[in-house]
Amino acid sequence: MANLWDITNRPSTKTKLELIRKIFHMWLTVWTSPNQQSWIDKELYVIDLFAGKGSYTNSGYKVSGSSLIFLEEINSVYERLAESKIKIKLFSIEKNRNNWNELNDSINKFIKANSKLNEVVKCEVLNGDCNVEIDKVLSSIKNTPKNPLFVLVDPTGLQIKRPTVEKIVNLHNRKDIMFNYILEGIRRTAGVANKKNQGKNLSIKEIKTVKTLMEFLGEDVNIIKDDIKLLMNYVEPVFLAKNISVVGYDVSYPNRNDTLYYLLFASRKVSITNIVKDIYARQKENTYGKQLFGKEGYMKSLFTVQSSGDKVVFIKRKSLLYRTKVEYGDWTI
C-alpha cells in the first residue's frame, strides 16, 4: 500500500498544498484589510476537517500539512493581526488516533517555537469523525456575518457526508470553502451503485460502498456517468441553491491525461471566486507552461459556476490545446 504521507512522487498533492497556501494567504489578506476591519468582528475562524498528521515527507524532507500551513501563514501576518487585535480560532479535526497524536504534537511545537502567536491564535485539535465533531465546533463559534470562516474539506476518499457540508453552508458567517471533490473515488463507487440500480445482488462490502456514496452525494442525487453533470448535481443543491459560486481546479493523475479530483473553492462573493480562479490559472501556467492563449486560456478551461440571485451561469470549456511530443512544437489544436 502506498504511503499517503510520502509525496515524493505525488505531484497532485504538492499542487494541492501549494494552492491551499496561496488561497489561505489571499483569504487572510482580504479579511485583515482596513476595509474589512471597519465592519467585521475581530474573531475569525478556520476549520480543517481532515487535518491528517500535520506533515508529509518529500524526498526525505518534511513538508507542512494543511493545519501547519494555516499557522505558518497566520504567523507571516502576525504584526497586522496584533495591531488590529484580530483573533483567529483554528479547529483541526483528525479521526485516526496516531495521526492526531502527531498533528497535536506538531501544532504544539510550532506554537511553542512562535510563542507570540498565543496572542492571536487559539488552536483546538479534536480526535474524532468530523461528521460528528462538526456540531461541537459549530456550537463554539459566533454564527454571524461579522465573523468570517475558512473551511478546508480534504478527505482521502468519500468520508465527508453531505449533511456535514450543508451545516457549514447554512451558517450565517461569511464563509469560504475549499472542497476536495474526489472524482476517482466517485467513479469507482458509482459503478457499484449502478450495479444495484440494475437489480443485481450486492455483497456486504458493496452495500457499504453504496451507502458511503449516498452519504457523500445525498440520496436525491442520480448516479450518472457524465462526470461534470454529476458534479453539477452535487454543486447545485449544496452551493448554488445558497447563492454560493464555485470554481474548480482539475488535478490530473501523474501518469495519464485524466482528472483525479477537483479542488473546488466556494464563496458567496463572485469577486473572491474570480481571485481564486486567477490563482488557479497561474498555478496551471506554472505547472504546464505558457500556452498560445496565455493565462486566459487556462482560466476558460476551469470548472466555473457563478450564482447571482436566482441566476446561475455555468461555464466549463475544454481547452483546445494539447501538448505535443514533437521536437519543434509545444502545443497543438
Side-chain angles (χ1 to χ4, degrees):
M1 181 179 292
N3 181 0
L4 291 175
W5 307 108
D6 185 349
I7 62 172
T8 304
N9 297 310
R10 290 168 57 199
S12 59
T13 302
K14 295 175 187 176
T15 295
K16 178 179 66 180
L17 293 174
E18 289 176 15
L19 288 172
I20 289 172
R21 185 180 295 278
K22 290 174 182 177
I23 290 172
F24 185 67
H25 178 83
M26 176 276 297
W27 186 85
L28 278 178
T29 301
V30 168
W31 289 112
T32 59
S33 68
N35 289 341
Q36 303 298 348
Q37 289 180 42
S38 65
W39 67 272
I40 66 169
D41 191 2
K42 296 301 179 73
E43 188 169 275
L44 314 182
Y45 306 115
V46 180
I47 302 176
D48 190 354
L49 290 183
F50 295 88
K53 59 192 295 186
S55 65
Y56 299 85
T57 57
N58 179 25
S59 299
Y61 294 95
K62 185 173 285 190
V63 176
S64 295
S66 51
S67 288
L68 267 294
I69 287 174
F70 296 146
L71 286 174
E72 288 166 358
E73 289 302 312
I74 291 170
N75 190 46
S76 73
V77 296
Y78 160 78
E79 287 78 10
R80 192 189 315 161
L81 296 172
E83 289 174 6
S84 305
K85 297 181 179 179
I86 294 175
K87 307 285 186 181
I88 298 178
K89 288 187 177 180
L90 169 62
F91 300 90
S92 303
I93 307 175
E94 172 54 38
K95 185 176 181 179
N96 181 281
R97 183 70 183 186
N98 291 332
N99 290 345
W100 177 85
N101 283 330
E102 291 194 42
L103 172 69
N104 193 44
D105 185 55
S106 295
I107 288 176
N108 287 335
K109 284 182 178 177
F110 188 87
I111 294 294
K112 186 176 181 180
N114 301 276
S115 57
K116 63 184 180 181
L117 282 179
N118 285 305
E119 301 173 27
V120 297
V121 178
K122 180 180 178 182
C123 298
E124 188 167 345
V125 189
L126 296 89
N127 179 215
D129 184 346
C130 70
N131 297 291
V132 177
E133 300 298 327
I134 192 64
D135 291 331
K136 183 190 301 182
V137 172
L138 297 187
S139 67
S140 63
I141 70 175
K142 297 178 184 178
N143 184 14
T144 73
K146 290 189 175 183
N147 295 88
L149 168 66
F150 184 94
V151 181
L152 176 64
V153 185
D154 183 25
T156 55
L158 306 181
Q159 300 99 327
I160 188 73
K161 298 180 181 180
R162 177 166 155 180
T164 302
V165 179
E166 291 174 331
K167 287 176 183 178
I168 296 168
V169 170
N170 289 333
L171 292 171
H172 297 301
N173 304 74
R174 298 297 180 96
K175 49 203 164 285
D176 296 289
I177 303 169
M178 287 192 74
F179 185 100
N180 188 349
Y181 178 91
I182 303 181
L183 183 59
E184 186 267 343
I186 294 170
R187 284 173 174 169
R188 185 178 63 252
T189 53
V192 180
N194 282 323
K195 182 178 175 182
K196 176 190 174 185
N197 293 338
Q198 294 167 7
K200 297 180 180 179
N201 293 327
L202 302 182
S203 66
I204 294 176
K205 183 178 179 180
E206 288 175 327
I207 290 172
K208 290 181 179 178
T209 296
V210 173
K211 184 174 183 289
T212 298
L213 180 63
M214 290 299 98
E215 287 175 338
F216 174 83
L217 292 176
E219 297 291 341
D220 57 334
V221 175
N222 294 323
I223 304 300
I224 53 181
K225 292 184 178 180
D226 188 297
D227 293 332
I228 294 298
K229 286 183 179 179
L230 186 56
L231 174 56
M232 282 296 293
N233 280 355
Y234 184 89
V235 165
E236 283 185 309
V238 175
F239 296 114
L240 297 183
K242 304 296 182 180
N243 292 326
I244 295 175
S245 299
V246 179
V247 60
Y249 186 103
D250 48 311
V251 179
S252 299
Y253 286 91
N255 54 357
R256 70 175 191 262
N257 186 24
D258 193 11
T259 302
L260 175 60
Y261 58 78
Y262 283 93
L263 194 58
L264 305 177
F265 181 87
S267 178
R268 189 177 295 275
K269 291 183 71 65
V270 172
S271 59
I272 297 297
T273 56
N274 284 339
I275 293 174
V276 171
K277 191 172 183 178
D278 183 76
I279 292 172
Y280 280 169
R282 290 176 186 274
Q283 183 73 26
K284 281 189 172 289
E285 194 168 53
N286 289 338
T287 301
Y288 300 110
K290 295 185 181 297
Q291 56 160 302
L292 182 62
F293 299 115
K295 185 186 68 176
E296 291 300 316
Y298 284 120
M299 292 186 75
K300 289 179 180 179
S301 71
L302 294 169
F303 173 86
T304 308
V305 277
Q306 295 179 348
S307 176
S308 178
D310 295 327
K311 182 181 179 182
V312 174
V313 179
F314 170 57
I315 308 166
K316 177 65 177 77
R317 301 184 181 93
K318 274 287 187 182
S319 174
L320 294 177
L321 296 176
Y322 294 89
R323 283 189 173 279
T324 68
K325 296 182 179 179
V326 299
E327 182 178 358
Y328 300 108
D330 294 326
W331 299 92
T332 186
I333 293 181

